[in-house]
Amino acid sequence: MRRFLFLVFIILFSCNSKSEKNDYFKDISENDIKLFPPKPGDWLYSYREKGQTFEQFINSKHLVPTKENNIIYLRPIGKFNSLQVKQIELTREYLEIFFQLKTETLKDVSNDIIPKHARRIGPDQNEQFLAGFILDSVLKKEKPQKGIGLMALTEVDLYPKPEWSFVFGLASYRDRIAVSSIYRLHDERLQNKDFNLCLERLLKICSHEIGHMFGLHHCIDANCAMNGTNSLSETDEHTLRLCSNCQRKLNSGLKYDNVKRLKELEKYFKDNKLTSGFELMEKDLKNIQ
C-alpha cells in the first residue's frame, strides 16, 4: 500500500511540474510580439524559411549538456582595448545566465595565428579574416575541458567567401563551434557613448549563434533573439528576449529553472542599464506572478 501511495505521489508531482512549466510558457506568451511583414533587405524577405515547431525540435537531434560536457567557452582572438575586454566579460556573464550553463573565457590569442592566405583587404580597405579558416583550422583543434560549445570573438572583420563583402559571424553547429566579430558592432572606434548599443548587439549575436548549437532554428513567429538578420539595423530591431516557443525548446534540453533564469536576466539588464531588456523581463515576471 505504501509503495502504491509513493508511486501515486511521484506521478502527481511529475504532472504538476509539467503543468507549472506549461503555465510559465503560456503566461509569458502574452508578451510575444508578432513580426511585421518583411521588407526588402530583411532576412525573411531574402530567405523564405519554414520555421521550427516545438514538436519538430523535440524530434530533432540536438545538443544536451552532460556531466562530461557542460561548459560554454569563449576564445578572444586579437588585441582588444579595455572597453572591448569589458564587453567580452559582460558577454560571458550574460551567456552564463541566458543558457544557465557555466561559461568561461579562455586566454586570448594573437591575430598572428591567421596566415596570409586567410586574410584579405575588404571593400572598406580594412583587413578581414576568413571565418571558415578560424572554424576549421583554429577552433576544431581546441578541446577545452568539459566544453559543450566554443565561440571565438575577433576584433578584426570577417568574410565567409570571396564574393561576400563581410559576415557578422559563422558557425558549425555539428562541431559546436562559432566565430563572431565585434568589428561592425560600433562606429569606427568603440567609445563610452556607444558602449551599451555595441554590448546589446554582441549579446544578441552570441546568444543567437550558441542557440543554434543547442538546436534552435531561426524563429519566424515573433520578435525573438533567434530571428535571422541581414544587417546591423535589422539586428537592432530584434529583441534580446527569446519568444515563448524558443524558450520552451531551450528549456526542454537544458532543464533549468525558468523563474530563476528570468530573475537573473532582469538583474543583469538592470545592473548594466540595458533598458529594453530590463523592461521585457519585467513584463514576463509580472505575467507569471
Side-chain angles (χ1 to χ4, degrees):
M1 182 65 177
R2 286 181 180 178
R3 185 176 180 183
F4 173 76
L5 291 174
F6 177 74
L7 288 171
V8 170
F9 173 79
I10 292 296
I11 292 169
L12 287 174
F13 180 79
S14 175
C15 290
N16 286 338
S17 297
K18 289 179 181 178
S19 176
E20 286 176 8
K21 279 191 176 183
N22 289 332
D23 286 346
Y24 172 87
F25 300 120
K26 182 180 178 182
D27 289 342
I28 67 167
S29 69
E30 295 176 17
N31 293 327
D32 290 348
I33 301 171
K34 191 171 179 61
L35 286 175
F36 291 114
K39 56 185 182 296
D42 286 352
W43 180 269
L44 286 177
Y45 191 91
S46 304
Y47 305 98
R48 306 290 177 157
E49 296 181 317
K50 296 181 179 179
Q52 178 192 44
T53 66
F54 178 73
E55 288 71 26
Q56 286 172 330
F57 172 83
I58 290 296
N59 292 325
S60 69
K61 291 184 69 175
H62 51 271
L63 193 59
V64 176
T66 64
K67 288 183 179 180
E68 292 75 29
N69 300 98
N70 55 22
I71 301 176
I72 297 169
Y73 285 97
L74 300 178
R75 168 68 82 188
I77 298 176
K79 188 175 182 180
F80 299 88
N81 64 36
S82 58
L83 288 179
Q84 291 170 331
V85 170
K86 182 179 178 182
Q87 287 198 337
I88 292 172
E89 172 55 19
L90 288 172
T91 299
R92 184 204 64 76
E93 291 177 13
Y94 180 73
L95 294 174
E96 190 161 281
I97 296 170
F98 192 94
F99 294 102
Q100 294 290 289
L101 289 172
K102 186 175 182 180
T103 303
E104 296 184 2
T105 302
L106 299 167
K107 181 177 172 55
D108 58 305
V109 295
S110 169
N111 285 329
D112 292 342
I113 65 169
I114 312 299
K116 187 176 180 179
H117 69 80
R119 303 175 180 227
R120 76 173 187 185
I121 300 301
D124 62 358
Q125 300 306 303
N126 283 302
E127 188 172 40
Q128 295 179 309
F129 292 162
L130 182 61
F133 177 86
I134 295 175
L135 294 183
D136 296 332
S137 300
V138 178
L139 298 183
K140 270 188 183 180
K141 296 177 180 178
E142 299 218 27
K143 303 291 181 183
Q145 188 176 17
K146 300 186 73 174
I148 193 170
L150 172 63
M151 169 171 275
L153 292 173
T154 71
E155 42 94 11
V156 171
D157 200 22
L158 300 171
Y159 72 101
K161 46 189 176 181
E163 57 267 33
W164 282 50
S165 57
F166 77 94
V167 69
F168 290 119
L170 193 67
S172 171
Y173 307 123
R174 181 190 63 189
D175 297 313
R176 301 173 295 168
I177 52 178
V179 57
S180 293
S181 170
I182 66 175
Y183 174 81
R184 292 181 180 268
L185 304 187
H186 51 77
D187 292 332
E188 291 182 5
R189 182 173 177 81
L190 178 62
Q191 300 177 57
N192 282 311
K193 63 183 176 68
D194 62 353
F195 183 89
N196 277 12
L197 175 60
C198 179
L199 174 62
E200 189 167 315
R201 290 167 173 171
L202 186 59
L203 300 182
K204 288 176 182 179
I205 289 170
C206 290
S207 58
H208 178 102
E209 295 298 343
I210 295 174
H212 279 316
M213 291 185 196
F214 288 108
L216 303 184
H217 289 192
H218 281 154
C219 180
I220 65 170
D221 300 317
N223 195 329
C224 175
M226 291 309 299
N227 296 146
T229 182
N230 259 347
S231 65
L232 208 52
S233 59
E234 189 174 12
T235 298
D236 290 339
E237 292 174 1
H238 296 162
T239 177
L240 284 157
R241 174 184 180 268
L242 283 177
C243 72
S244 57
N245 188 41
C246 288
Q247 284 194 49
R248 188 182 174 205
K249 295 174 195 174
L250 191 67
N251 178 262
S252 72
L254 303 190
K255 309 295 184 187
Y256 51 73
D257 183 324
N258 288 299
V259 178
K260 173 179 175 289
R261 175 182 181 272
L262 187 52
K263 288 180 177 179
E264 289 177 355
L265 283 171
E266 182 198 39
K267 183 178 185 303
Y268 176 92
F269 292 136
K270 183 179 181 180
D271 290 347
N272 292 289
K273 297 180 174 58
L274 297 173
T275 307
S276 61
F278 175 71
E279 290 174 349
L280 289 167
M281 298 307 105
E282 266 199 324
K283 286 182 180 179
D284 282 350
L285 280 169
K286 184 178 179 181
N287 275 42
I288 65 173
Q289 289 172 353

